[in-house]
Amino acid sequence: MAEDPAGVTRENDGLETRPVVYICRTEEFSACHRLHSPFLTDEENLELFGACNNFHGHGHNYKVKVTLKGKVDPITGILINLGDLKQYMKTAIHDLMDHKHIDKDVPYFKDKVSSAENIAVFIWKNIGRELPRPELLYEVHVTESDKNSVYYRGDVE
């Protein structure tokens, strides 16, 4: 194997290989929500969600870590410009959710429970639309509190 100055490795068969990296960026937003399913009675919602079913909602300071996976560009030495990723996350997350009541202000949650799980899926879809190369999106990690977080990697069954 020989490596050229741009970081490209050529295998014995002449095929080009490049390092695959995982790059992450974390952003924060503050929002409130109410865990309440329209498919359950008020009593069932209260039993299932407890204090998180408070009629007026409750708030969190969310942390969102977006991970991209891909090959390092041999010319630039990077996977993505982090300034660009910051802007994509601002558009896909912060602008839509910061200081909002998720259930009332974010149309996606009109008919979905605003659980951390569904918030992670929502962010995955939004960030995927912003990225010029959505195939790089590897994982969305939403931290709702010090004790609760969700990872989503785009899997569906």
Side-chain angles (χ1 to χ4, degrees):
M1 254 188 299
E3 186 172 312
D4 72 17
V8 175
T9 302
R10 300 204 183 273
E11 301 290 339
N12 291 336
D13 59 7
L15 295 177
E16 184 179 292
T17 62
R18 294 185 301 184
V20 173
V21 298
Y22 297 79
I23 191 164
C24 307
R25 179 160 182 94
T26 302
E27 294 289 345
E28 298 180 11
F29 71 94
S30 298
C32 72
H33 70 140
R34 177 186 187 208
L35 293 180
H36 187 86
S37 172
F39 304 106
L40 300 174
T41 66
D42 287 345
E43 292 78 22
E44 290 170 325
N45 274 293
L46 183 57
E47 184 176 330
L48 179 62
F49 299 122
C52 296
N53 183 244
N54 180 312
F55 181 77
H56 299 289
H58 63 281
H60 296 283
N61 294 316
Y62 293 92
K63 290 183 184 175
V64 179
K65 181 165 77 170
V66 170
T67 303
L68 306 180
K69 174 188 175 186
K71 295 179 181 179
V72 174
D73 183 286
I75 306 301
T76 65
I78 62 174
L79 176 61
I80 189 170
N81 180 301
L82 286 175
D84 292 344
L85 181 56
K86 177 182 177 181
Q87 183 58 49
Y88 302 144
M89 291 177 72
K90 180 183 180 304
T91 302
I93 304 165
H94 197 269
D95 291 352
L96 299 175
M97 302 180 85
D98 189 47
H99 286 85
K100 303 283 174 57
H101 191 302
I102 294 171
D103 306 307
K104 297 177 181 182
D105 298 327
V106 183
Y108 179 86
F109 292 98
K110 181 178 191 245
D111 60 353
K112 291 178 184 58
V113 178
S114 57
S115 62
E117 295 90 335
N118 282 335
I119 290 170
V121 172
F122 172 74
I123 291 171
W124 174 278
K125 290 178 180 182
N126 280 351
I127 198 76
R129 284 191 282 269
E130 293 298 319
L131 290 169
R133 295 177 52 208
E135 70 276 8
L136 296 179
L137 185 55
Y138 176 74
E139 182 176 86
V140 169
H141 179 200
V142 175
T143 301
E144 185 178 71
S145 70
D146 290 341
K147 297 181 180 180
N148 300 327
S149 68
V150 173
Y151 293 86
Y152 183 62
R153 292 184 177 161
D155 299 331
V156 294
E157 292 182 4

